[in-house]
């Protein structure tokens, strides 16, 4: 700590404005940081690397509170590591967001009365690139507003040339290793986006539907099945029962008539069927249900597709051309007319999958798609955590991770879109299939065509930790900055993104995982713990709060709520409170500068310091150690809270106030305290900087004359501790706090002076008499002094003469009235709580409220009685 101080240049002691105005400071400061290259990273540096990638926001997006929260945490980590001497890379970039971006541009075309098909694929993709150049990426400007210390010169986009080469390279390698294949399987299909989507892109919610029980077959060969999707019965190719179900033994192997069609279907025995659920018989539609598809595979059943990509019925008959929901009603009506409806339940609440982007109900659909065989990749991803190469923080999130990677199904990676990385596979006129790598020449000639699908967005973002560093080229950046030090991301994309990066990183980088630690955080919620949403009316644009209170205030509020893996509530009042904290830092530093606080020269020897000086330096070193430990454990809330209370309570409210007496007295003690105050502010501003960068930069450069706090040395714990000084100042604080409380209880104004006799001899408080009198507004005792109230505290005695300051008789009368009211409240509460009939009938919350009233009454009685005892005789 003292070594850093010796390295500081002489402070210019520039006068600070009377008020802090974030809007005047933040923008110019950030641009200065960028111009000076503070956030850039040098792969040729011999400093130890520290790397974090930004979870790439969608190019369609804008900064929301979730981004602001996550970016604040990452920025705090990287700023601290930069100050600790690491070659720090915070890698920026954006995701091309296939479906979301295509939807945006298609909506724009719709306003012109056009569709993408009117333009054709090539022209449409060009239109998307044009949109990206004009409208996309507004989030970059908002990141600057927040203060993100990213290496802007390295910004990447998942569709840029280098990353596209990485995508093609890994596809080719996986294909050659038979880990990518093409097959016809059931997928989640969005009839609105007209593409397959993965399981983790399906959002489930409880919807009101209908459960219809219907009768198949004739006479003794009838069987009842139930469904919430009656329209799919047109594609049934069997009814399944459990092989041990005695009720259906006579039907197993028989053909029964499928209503409304001219087909008969078999009854098959399959252990998948639960004989205890419903009728114990289920309809089997292999082309439109994932479980039915598996039954169909086991029993070699045909799979009949009855809907097109828009979820319109294609099966021959009277229902052809109807939307699936229209067909549902029409089919139930037709079955009812035939007397085949056994039961109908409406509404029937059940879980229904929806597209996470457009909210359309998903339709399971048999489709030819490209897949990643995830078995060996997922095992490697699980092993890397199990053997300790990768740590998940908080550790209790490991179970969720293992539950996912240990049970992964093969990943459908093809999407029926035009915007994205096109699958690098060509089909020849004679059935040839050729996968083309980035260094291969694509087949040409008559009859050759490229696959029309593009890759799932998560395929390219799964390469992010190494593709952004130049892979597949063996670049200096890749050698220096891979693997990443830590991944900071929300637990909500543990499966979407984290597992993908783990699988691809281990595969592409010869078993080296993409990061050492996965630090998971929660979601931002409103102050009542409710999810933020435009539909709920509680969504907040973080720019509004930054405009109103400053970026530091928003950042500090978010960091102070960030407990690992736990959701973060936030309200505007809390941001306002953080703005007040920034103002407190400003005003205290301004006071210190006006009173000569300095960082010039080394710290004086401890023997030359007062107990107050030694106390604050002892506490400062403890806080350095505490903050470092919290950072290593990703405890942002705890480190922010520790800094808040140290800065506000101990430095600004106690040390600065106690130092005023020393400054007024002058001499060598004042000179020592000015240097100590400068040291404490220097270090405190550095500790605060990663979370509140703007106000600390302004104050630190003014205090020290240093170039920038961004590149200043991070404080280190010198090991200095002074337990005796800490105990001495704690005693002093006890005296001041207790007398202040007594004054307030007696109704004395804060500035009202009271004659007092202090008995401090024989205690450690003797040197502090001047400070005690100044802080407590205690004037010396006069000849007519009469001790009307005596307060023994911390081994000392404070005797006060209140005879000329309060009307003792009136005060006793007022307190007696308050005491009577409190005793009446206590009696009423006891009466209710002692009434068995009342307790038997009253709700728990009412009883709890009365118990609270009783506790409050008891507290009031004790407090008032103490005040009465301390009053002088009337």
């Amino acid at each position: 700590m003292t070594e850093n101080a010796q390295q500081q240049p002489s402070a210019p002691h520039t006068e600070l404005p009377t008020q802090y105005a974030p809007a005047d400071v933040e923008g110019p400061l950030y641009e200065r940081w960028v111009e000076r290259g503070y956030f850039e990273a040098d792969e040729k540096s011999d400093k130890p690397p520290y790397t974090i990638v930004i979870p790439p926001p969608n190019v369609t997006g804008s900064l929301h509170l979730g981004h602001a929260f996550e970016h604040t945490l990452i920025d705090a980590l990287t700023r601290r590591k930069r100050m600790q001497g690491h070659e720090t890379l915070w890698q920026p970039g954006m995701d091309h967001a296939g479906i979301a971006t295509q939807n945006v541009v298609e909506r724009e075309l719709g306003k012109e009365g056009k569709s993408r098909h009117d333009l054709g694929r090539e022209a449409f993709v060009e239109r998307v690139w044009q949109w990206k150049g004009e409208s996309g990426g507004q989030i970059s400007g908002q990141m600057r507003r927040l203060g993100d210390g990213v290496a802007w010169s390295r910004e990447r986009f998942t569709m840029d040339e280098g990353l596209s080469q990485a995508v093609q390279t890994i596809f080719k390698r996986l294909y050659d290793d038979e880990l990518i294949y093409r097959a016809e399987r059931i997928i989640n299909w969005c009839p609105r986006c007209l593409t397959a989507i993965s399981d983790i892109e399906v959002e489930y919610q409880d919807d009101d539907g209908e459960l219809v029980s219907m009768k198949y077959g004739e006479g003794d060969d009838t069987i009842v099945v139930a469904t919430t999707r009656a329209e799919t019965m047109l594609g049934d190719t069997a009814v399944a029962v459990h092989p041990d179900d005695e009720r259906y033994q006579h039907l197993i192997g028989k053909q029964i008539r499928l209503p409304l069609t001219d087909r008969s279907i078999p009854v098959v025995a399959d252990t998948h069927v639960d004989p205890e659920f419903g009728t114990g018989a289920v309809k089997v539609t292999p082309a439109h249900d994932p479980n039915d598809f598996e039954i169909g595979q086991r029993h070699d059943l045909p799979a009949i597709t009855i809907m097109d990509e828009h979820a319109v019925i294609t099966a021959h008959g009277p229902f052809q051309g109807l939307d699936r929901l229209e067909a549902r009603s029409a089919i139930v009506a037709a079955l009812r007319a035939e007397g085949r409806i056994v039961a109908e339940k409406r509404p029937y609440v059940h879980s229904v999958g929806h597209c996470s982007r457009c909210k359309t109900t998903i339709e399971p659909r048999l489709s030819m798609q490209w897949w990643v065989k995830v078995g060996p990749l997922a095992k490697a991803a699980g092993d890397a955590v199990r053997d300790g190469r990768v740590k998940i923080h908080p550790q209790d999130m490991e179970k969720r991770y293992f539950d996912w990677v240990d049970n992964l199904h093969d990943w459908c990676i093809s999407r029926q879109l035009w915007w994205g990385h096109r699958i690098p596979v060509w089909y020849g006129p004679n059935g040839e299939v050729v996968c083309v790598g980035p260094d291969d020449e694509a087949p040409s000639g008559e009859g050759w065509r490229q696959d029309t699908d593009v890759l799932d967005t998560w395929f390219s973002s799964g390469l992010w930790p190494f593709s952004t560093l130049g892979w597949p080229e063996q670049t200096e950046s890749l050698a220096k900055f891979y693997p990443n030090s830590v991944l900071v991301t929300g637990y909500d994309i543990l499966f979407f993104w984290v597992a993908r990066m783990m699988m691809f990183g281990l595969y592409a980088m010869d078993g080296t995982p993409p990061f050492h630690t996965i630090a998971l955080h929660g979601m931002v919620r409103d102050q009542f713990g409710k999810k933020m949403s435009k539909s709920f009316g509680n969504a907040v644009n973080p720019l509004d709060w930054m405009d109103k209170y400053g970026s530091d205030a928003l950042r500090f509020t978010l960091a102070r709520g960030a407990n690992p893996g736990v959701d973060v509530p936030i309200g505007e009042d809390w941001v306002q409170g953080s703005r007040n904290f920034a103002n407190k830092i400003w005003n205290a530093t301004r006071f210190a500068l006006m009173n000569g606080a300095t960082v010039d020269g080394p710290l004086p020897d401890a023997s030359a310091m007062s107990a107050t000086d030694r106390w604050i330096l002892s506490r400062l070193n403890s806080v350095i150690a505490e903050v470092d430990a919290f950072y290593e454990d990703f405890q942002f809330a705890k480190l922010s809270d520790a800094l808040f209370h140290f800065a506000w309570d101990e430095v600004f409210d106690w040390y600065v106030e106690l130092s005023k007496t020393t400054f007024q007295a002058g001499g060598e003690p004042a000179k020592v305290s000015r240097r100590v105050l400068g040291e404490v502010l220097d270090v405190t501003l550095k500790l605060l900087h990663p979370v509140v960068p703007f106000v600390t930069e302004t104050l630190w450069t003014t205090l020290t004359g240093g170039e920038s706090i961004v590149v200043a040395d991070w404080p280190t714990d010198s090991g200095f501790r002074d337990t005796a000084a800490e105990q001495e100042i704690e005693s002093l604080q006890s005296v001041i706090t207790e007398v202040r409380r007594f004054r307030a209880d007696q109704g004395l104004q804060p500035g009202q002076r009271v004659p007092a006799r202090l008995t401090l001899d024989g205690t450690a408080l003797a040197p502090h008499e001047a400070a005690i009198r100044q802080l407590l507004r205690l004037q010396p005792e006069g000849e007519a002094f009469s001790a009307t109230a005596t307060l023994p505290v911390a081994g000392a005695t404070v005797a006060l003469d209140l005879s000329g300051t309060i009307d003792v008789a009136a005060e006793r009368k007022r307190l007696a009235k308050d005491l009577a009211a409190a005793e009446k409240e206590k009696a009423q509460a006891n009466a209710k709580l002692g009434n068995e009939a009342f307790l038997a009938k009253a709700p728990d919350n009412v009883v709890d409220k009365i118990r609270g009233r009783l506790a409050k009454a008891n507290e009031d009685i004790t407090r008032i009685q103490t005040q009465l005892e301390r009053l002088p005789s009337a």
Side-chain angles (χ1 to χ4, degrees):
M1 184 174 65
T2 54
E3 182 180 345
N4 287 348
Q6 290 173 341
Q7 295 171 353
Q8 303 290 359
S10 178
H13 291 176
T14 304
E15 186 175 341
L16 289 167
T18 55
Q19 290 185 321
Y20 177 50
D24 297 338
V25 169
E26 293 174 352
L29 259 189
Y30 187 83
E31 291 310 314
R32 190 183 313 153
W33 291 335
V34 173
E35 287 166 8
R36 292 179 176 178
Y38 292 152
F39 304 141
E40 296 302 323
D42 182 5
E43 55 269 12
K44 294 181 171 59
S45 166
D46 58 3
K47 296 178 182 178
Y50 187 80
T51 317
I52 295 181
V53 293
I54 194 171
N58 289 350
V59 69
T60 58
S62 61
L63 190 74
H64 56 65
L65 271 180
H67 287 125
F69 171 56
E70 186 167 76
H71 290 199
T72 294
L73 306 187
I74 298 175
D75 197 41
L77 290 173
T78 53
R79 284 179 182 270
R80 172 174 173 264
K81 285 296 181 180
R82 189 178 292 112
M83 294 172 75
Q84 287 183 316
H86 288 256
E87 193 61 37
T88 302
L89 170 60
W90 182 7
Q91 173 66 53
M94 285 181 288
D95 191 279
H96 66 279
I99 296 177
T101 304
Q102 180 157 318
N103 283 346
V104 168
V105 178
E106 285 196 84
R107 281 197 297 270
E108 293 296 314
L109 284 174
K111 295 174 184 176
E112 303 170 15
K114 297 178 182 177
S115 73
R116 61 182 164 119
H117 300 286
D118 294 323
L119 272 66
R121 183 171 193 140
E122 188 174 333
F124 176 77
V125 170
E126 183 60 36
R127 178 69 176 259
V128 180
W129 277 109
Q130 179 185 336
W131 174 88
K132 190 257 181 185
E134 295 172 355
S135 307
Q138 62 175 306
I139 200 167
S140 297
Q142 295 166 333
M143 287 167 60
R144 292 171 181 265
R145 282 290 312 277
L146 190 65
D148 287 2
V150 299
W152 286 112
S153 69
R154 294 172 175 262
E155 186 175 13
R156 305 304 297 267
F157 179 55
T158 50
M159 285 283 286
D160 69 25
E161 184 177 350
L163 271 66
S164 295
Q165 182 183 16
V167 168
Q168 196 172 352
T169 298
I170 202 162
F171 187 99
K172 170 70 171 171
R173 291 188 186 180
L174 289 164
Y175 181 87
D176 290 346
D177 287 343
E178 298 182 349
L179 292 173
I180 282 183
Y181 63 95
R182 192 169 183 244
E184 189 175 46
R185 291 187 176 180
I186 289 283
I187 48 90
N188 302 298
W189 181 264
C190 176
R192 159 63 184 81
C193 297
L194 298 180
T195 182
I197 63 175
S198 66
D199 290 344
I200 52 179
E201 294 169 299
V202 179
E203 292 180 348
Y204 287 90
Q205 66 183 49
D206 287 341
D207 286 356
D208 285 346
E210 60 181 3
L211 181 66
V212 178
S213 298
M214 48 198 181
K215 183 169 57 176
Y216 287 8
E218 306 291 346
D220 292 339
D221 292 344
T222 60
I223 194 167
V224 175
V225 296
T227 183
T228 58
R229 300 163 64 218
E231 69 280 7
T232 62
M233 60 87 59
L234 298 176
D236 286 357
T237 56
V239 171
V241 298
H242 194 277
D244 299 330
D245 194 330
E246 294 295 333
R247 294 170 293 177
Y248 302 118
Q249 290 300 309
H250 67 292
L251 289 176
I252 294 173
K254 282 191 174 183
Q255 297 280 328
I256 60 173
R257 179 174 170 249
L258 179 65
L260 309 182
T261 71
D262 58 0
R263 293 190 290 116
S264 292
I265 58 176
V267 177
V268 299
D270 196 284
T271 54
H272 170 76
V273 180
D274 181 0
E276 303 298 323
F277 184 78
T279 64
V282 297
K283 57 191 288 299
V284 181
T285 320
H288 292 278
D289 183 274
N291 292 322
D292 293 2
F293 177 78
E294 298 295 333
I295 294 174
Q297 292 286 92
R298 288 193 289 272
H299 297 277
D300 198 24
L301 300 173
I304 302 173
T305 299
I306 62 160
M307 292 182 216
D308 66 11
E309 60 186 7
H310 297 280
V312 171
I313 301 298
T314 57
H316 293 299
F319 312 107
Q320 188 173 7
L322 295 179
D323 171 83
R324 56 183 166 170
L325 298 181
E326 296 172 333
R328 184 174 301 172
S329 300
I331 287 170
V332 170
L335 290 168
R336 192 182 298 114
E338 286 192 5
R340 291 189 172 274
I341 298 297
V342 176
E344 297 177 69
K345 184 176 182 180
R346 295 188 187 87
Y348 178 72
V349 179
H350 62 131
S351 182
V352 178
H354 296 260
C355 173
S356 61
R357 289 175 177 83
C358 71
K359 311 309 177 187
T360 301
T361 301
I362 289 302
E363 190 62 46
R365 187 169 187 255
L366 188 62
S367 180
M368 182 67 76
Q369 302 285 344
W370 285 93
W371 305 81
V372 172
K373 186 185 294 182
V374 299
L377 301 175
K379 182 182 184 303
D383 290 346
V385 175
R386 286 188 169 95
D387 64 23
R389 281 176 290 157
V390 178
K391 298 188 182 304
I392 294 180
H393 192 279
Q395 192 173 1
D396 58 14
M397 286 285 181
E398 282 187 3
K399 183 179 184 303
R400 296 181 65 177
Y401 177 79
F402 292 136
D403 285 347
W404 178 255
V405 297
D406 293 347
N407 298 285
L408 267 180
H409 298 295
D410 284 0
W411 172 20
C412 177
I413 55 172
S414 46
R415 299 291 181 266
Q416 289 63 57
L417 304 170
W418 287 357
W419 173 245
H421 295 99
R422 196 163 173 182
I423 288 177
V425 172
W426 270 255
Y427 305 106
N430 300 312
E432 301 96 331
V433 179
V434 176
C435 180
V436 175
D439 298 325
D440 300 332
E441 182 134 357
S444 59
E446 187 176 349
W448 283 93
R449 60 183 178 83
Q450 186 178 358
D451 196 298
T452 57
D453 289 350
V454 301
L455 287 163
D456 177 10
T457 298
W458 297 103
F459 190 95
S460 52
S461 59
L463 314 181
W464 193 247
F466 52 93
S467 64
T468 52
L469 297 172
W471 187 91
E473 302 299 324
Q474 296 305 306
T475 64
E476 288 182 297
S477 288
L478 189 66
K480 177 74 174 181
F481 295 114
Y482 186 93
N484 291 187
S485 306
V486 62
L487 173 73
V488 179
T489 191
Y491 63 69
D492 59 324
I493 57 173
L494 180 61
F495 315 131
F496 283 88
W497 189 43
V498 179
R500 310 275 192 251
M501 288 189 290
M502 286 286 284
M503 291 191 294
F504 282 164
L506 289 159
Y507 174 78
M509 299 301 293
D510 299 321
T512 302
F515 18 74
H516 297 300
T517 302
I518 302 168
L520 298 171
H521 59 72
M523 304 296 101
V524 177
R525 297 182 177 271
D526 72 12
Q527 59 189 324
F528 306 108
K530 190 174 182 180
K531 180 181 178 181
M532 284 193 172
S533 165
K534 289 181 180 178
S535 60
F536 294 155
N538 63 350
V540 174
N541 182 346
L543 293 176
D544 293 341
W545 282 353
M546 286 192 278
D547 288 341
K548 196 170 182 180
Y549 304 110
S551 299
D552 284 333
L554 177 63
R555 289 170 60 116
F556 192 74
T557 305
L558 291 166
R560 205 173 177 192
N563 291 298
V566 179
D567 289 345
V568 182
I570 184 172
E572 185 169 2
D573 288 351
W574 305 343
V575 185
Q576 184 175 354
S578 295
R579 187 272 314 273
N580 295 343
F581 179 50
N583 289 342
K584 184 78 170 181
I585 301 170
W586 182 273
N587 292 333
T589 305
R590 186 169 176 272
F591 165 84
L593 289 171
M594 291 170 61
N595 283 272
T598 180
V599 296
D600 290 345
L603 274 174
D605 189 79
S607 62
M609 297 180 188
S610 69
T612 308
D613 295 331
R614 297 195 307 276
W615 160 71
I616 197 63
L617 289 176
S618 180
R619 287 292 304 124
L620 179 66
N621 277 284
S622 294
V623 169
I624 293 171
E626 190 176 12
V627 167
D628 278 337
F630 285 144
Y631 263 115
E632 296 306 313
D633 200 34
F634 305 100
Q635 297 281 358
F636 296 98
K638 290 182 179 179
L639 72 88
S640 299
D641 210 47
L643 286 171
F644 174 87
H645 287 294
F646 175 70
W648 192 308
D649 300 343
E650 298 187 74
V651 178
F652 305 149
D653 278 358
W654 282 109
Y655 184 69
V656 167
E657 289 299 314
L658 290 170
S659 298
K660 287 180 180 178
T661 308
T662 307
F663 294 155
Q664 289 169 1
E668 189 62 24
K671 184 179 178 181
V672 170
S673 290
R674 289 187 183 101
R675 179 64 189 88
V676 170
L677 178 55
E679 177 76 5
V680 171
L681 287 174
D682 172 24
V683 174
T684 302
L685 291 171
K686 288 176 180 176
L687 293 174
L688 284 165
H689 172 72
V691 181
V692 284
F694 294 107
V695 68
T696 51
E697 168 80 331
T698 306
L699 295 174
W700 186 84
T701 52
T702 303
L703 171 71
T704 69
E707 177 189 347
S708 171
I709 198 171
V710 176
V711 291
D713 291 338
W714 181 255
T716 55
D717 176 8
S718 70
F720 176 78
R721 300 291 191 278
D722 192 322
T723 305
E726 290 193 36
Q727 291 173 345
E728 182 174 327
I729 301 306
E730 284 174 12
S731 297
L732 175 61
Q733 290 170 331
S734 297
V735 170
I736 293 171
T737 301
E738 185 65 22
V739 176
R740 279 176 173 167
R741 183 181 297 119
F742 175 76
R743 288 175 57 107
D745 289 343
Q746 305 310 314
L748 295 177
Q749 295 300 314
Q752 190 172 354
R753 294 197 168 275
V754 178
R757 176 186 299 142
L758 305 184
T759 305
L760 307 176
D761 294 342
T763 73
L765 297 172
H768 302 286
E769 180 167 354
I772 293 172
R773 287 190 177 276
Q774 179 169 317
L775 292 175
L776 291 173
R777 305 295 189 268
L778 303 179
Q779 61 192 42
E781 56 186 293
E783 292 183 6
F785 179 82
S786 175
T788 56
T790 302
L791 304 175
V793 57
T797 303
V798 179
L800 304 173
D801 183 354
L802 305 179
S803 57
T805 57
I806 61 172
D807 184 334
V808 177
E811 185 65 12
R812 281 190 173 278
K813 185 176 181 181
R814 181 185 70 80
L815 291 172
K817 183 179 179 181
D818 291 347
L819 182 60
E823 288 174 337
K824 181 179 179 182
E825 176 74 3
K826 176 181 178 179
Q828 290 175 341
N830 273 328
K832 286 189 175 181
L833 294 174
N835 185 335
E836 294 296 335
F838 169 79
L839 292 176
K841 294 179 181 179
D844 289 345
N845 64 319
V846 173
V847 175
D848 289 342
K849 188 174 181 181
I850 293 170
R851 288 192 176 118
R853 284 168 49 193
L854 176 60
K856 175 68 166 53
N858 282 323
E859 289 174 6
D860 289 344
I861 290 168
T862 301
R863 175 179 55 80
I864 295 167
Q865 286 175 339
T866 301
Q867 289 176 246
L868 283 166
E869 290 169 3
R870 285 176 169 177
L871 277 175
S873 302

